Amino acid sequence: MKSPAARLMVDLRYLRALSRRFRSTLLLAAVIFGLGPLLYHWRYVGPGGDRISYGEALHHVYFLLFGQPSLPYVSDWLVETLNILIPPVSIALVVDGVVRFAYLFFARHKNDKEWVSVVSETMKGHVVVCGAGRVGYRVVTQLREMGKDVVVVEKREDATFVSALRDENVPLLIDDTRSPLCLPRTHVKKASAIVCATDDDLANLNIALDARRLNPGIRVVIRLFDDDLGAKVRDTFKAEALSSSSLAAPAMALAALDPRLIHSFRIGKHLMVVSLFVVRDGLSGMNVSQVRDRFGGLALSLIRGETETLHPTGDVVLQAGDQVTIQASYPEYCALRAFTGESDAPAYADHDNFLMPGYRPTG
């Protein structure tokens, strides 16, 4: 949740962007309601020879908007020209300008294309996420938790998480990404990154190409189902191409082997894992540096009693009962489990050939 001060700044930026978009309308309104009364005050002379105040002139201009002049007819060409021109011009101003301006400012929950376009203009360094499916929604949630502004593009009104995104007041553009005006409406020229997370590889590639054309420096992340295509995109397009299957495969394989693993990911050809260790006789008495130097395990957090310490320093001595979260390569993790007497998985050398071709454990 944003603080009241942050929300106020967002509203002010939105009002400024809206004012830029309606500058011609606001200028015309200033001319009608600023210059018009001055002209009446200067030229209008009543049937009895009386002049009118600026307030009376402003009153007359206001009622001319509705075709109801409040001053008697006089034979003056400038006054009559104003009486004829102001009503139609003012009606057009009210209908096309003031009403639309007020609608966009006060009815922002509607999330129509024009509103999304205006609110996107208030952002700089934001992230554009294309696709409001499960992957897109989780990406948006993660980015917002990190305090990043996000604009979402989705082709279908009935997509899975459209309603959820609107309930969370996320700017959501319902538009076809193939439309030439789609990405410009998201202010992609000033975006820091775009995430192409639709379920169509070709559509994701088209979005990425269009984004790079509009913003050559934008960071592109593409969801691709074809692993071979993803490798080619990474090499030639210099974009981050991710496959859901390749990301999930290590986690699923390791979950089948060892349920104690919390997370897994690859760094090049190395399979890295994260696991929680309860300190017993093997680790008790060793400090964090010794665990790192001997087994290659990095201590991410340490829970002792009710206290949790992120990134404990190397001189912290582990005590029986401590819970330490350790990151290591899979072979190093297996060696550490074997050292603590908890290893019930096959020896790491076998997994080395299966999971990490060409890799040999250190130490």
Side-chain angles (χ1 to χ4, degrees):
M1 291 293 291
K2 292 184 178 179
S3 65
R7 288 197 298 269
L8 177 61
M9 290 303 298
V10 170
D11 287 339
L12 290 176
R13 291 200 307 267
Y14 182 75
L15 181 59
R16 184 175 62 185
L18 205 56
S19 300
R20 287 198 302 266
R21 177 170 291 246
F22 285 89
R23 54 182 174 268
S24 58
T25 298
L26 296 175
L27 179 61
L28 181 58
V31 169
I32 292 176
F33 290 101
L35 182 59
L38 285 176
L39 292 175
Y40 278 108
H41 177 64
W42 170 53
R43 286 293 292 262
Y44 185 86
V45 179
D50 299 329
R51 292 190 172 275
I52 59 173
S53 66
Y54 181 82
E56 290 175 307
L58 180 60
H59 180 271
H60 176 66
V61 170
Y62 173 76
F63 278 97
L64 276 177
L65 270 103
F66 312 101
Q68 299 291 329
S70 61
L71 296 174
Y73 171 83
V74 294
S75 181
D76 185 288
W77 70 269
L78 178 59
V79 171
E80 284 309 303
T81 300
L82 291 173
N83 286 341
I84 293 172
L85 290 180
I86 287 178
V89 172
S90 298
I91 290 174
L93 170 69
V94 170
V95 172
D96 184 59
V98 176
V99 172
R100 196 157 56 97
F101 182 96
Y103 169 79
L104 288 173
F105 186 77
F106 293 107
R108 285 178 278 179
H109 63 279
K110 293 295 185 181
N111 256 325
D112 61 13
K113 292 181 180 180
E114 188 172 13
W115 177 83
V116 173
S117 179
V118 174
V119 79
S120 298
E121 290 177 15
T122 69
M123 300 178 182
K124 185 178 181 180
H126 58 292
V127 179
V128 179
V129 178
C130 299
R134 294 186 182 277
V135 174
Y137 178 74
R138 289 177 179 175
V139 170
V140 171
T141 301
Q142 187 66 59
L143 289 170
R144 296 185 73 218
E145 287 178 357
M146 295 187 293
K148 201 71 176 176
D149 289 328
V150 182
V151 178
V152 181
V153 181
E154 171 55 49
K155 182 178 180 180
R156 297 184 297 112
E157 181 74 38
D158 60 347
T160 309
F161 290 96
V162 164
S163 296
L165 290 168
R166 284 177 172 162
D167 290 342
E168 296 171 17
N169 295 319
V170 177
L172 174 64
L173 175 64
I174 302 296
D175 200 0
D176 190 343
T177 54
R178 293 173 297 182
S179 168
L181 295 178
C182 179
L183 288 181
R185 287 190 178 108
T186 67
H187 208 214
V188 73
K189 288 184 177 181
K190 297 297 182 180
S192 61
I194 184 168
V195 179
C196 310
T198 75
D199 56 3
D200 185 331
D201 283 2
L202 182 58
N204 288 337
L205 284 172
N206 283 331
I207 295 168
L209 290 169
D210 288 341
R212 275 281 170 84
R213 177 175 52 82
L214 295 170
N215 182 354
I218 196 171
R219 179 171 174 79
V220 177
V221 181
I222 311 175
R223 176 195 184 189
L224 294 175
F225 291 89
D226 189 327
D227 290 342
D228 293 335
L229 181 59
K232 294 175 182 177
V233 168
R234 280 190 292 270
D235 294 339
T236 61
F237 191 59
K238 305 304 180 186
E240 191 65 36
L242 303 175
S243 166
S244 301
S245 58
S246 63
L247 291 174
M252 296 180 69
L254 289 172
L257 293 174
D258 191 342
R260 295 167 298 190
L261 295 174
I262 299 172
H263 186 55
S264 63
F265 57 95
R266 283 191 176 275
I267 298 179
K269 60 186 178 182
H270 307 298
L271 180 63
M272 309 299 294
V273 297
V274 178
S275 184
L276 179 67
F277 285 78
V278 178
V279 176
R280 296 186 175 90
D281 293 338
L283 293 177
S284 181
M286 298 179 65
N287 62 34
V288 170
S289 292
Q290 289 173 323
V291 175
R292 179 196 63 210
D293 296 340
R294 183 170 177 178
F295 300 101
L298 301 178
L300 302 181
S301 72
L302 175 67
I303 300 176
R304 180 172 293 167
E306 299 296 327
T307 304
E308 180 177 11
T309 303
L310 287 177
H311 311 297
T313 57
D315 57 356
V316 173
V317 178
L318 301 177
Q319 301 175 5
D322 287 349
Q323 298 179 54
V324 57
T325 302
I326 292 179
Q327 173 187 306
S329 69
Y330 186 70
E332 291 164 342
Y333 162 78
C334 292
L336 184 55
R337 283 291 182 191
F339 175 76
T340 61
E342 303 173 78
S343 178
D344 55 3
Y348 66 79
D350 297 332
H351 292 283
D352 179 51
N353 295 325
F354 175 67
L355 293 170
M356 295 162 292
Y359 177 74
R360 290 295 178 267
T362 60

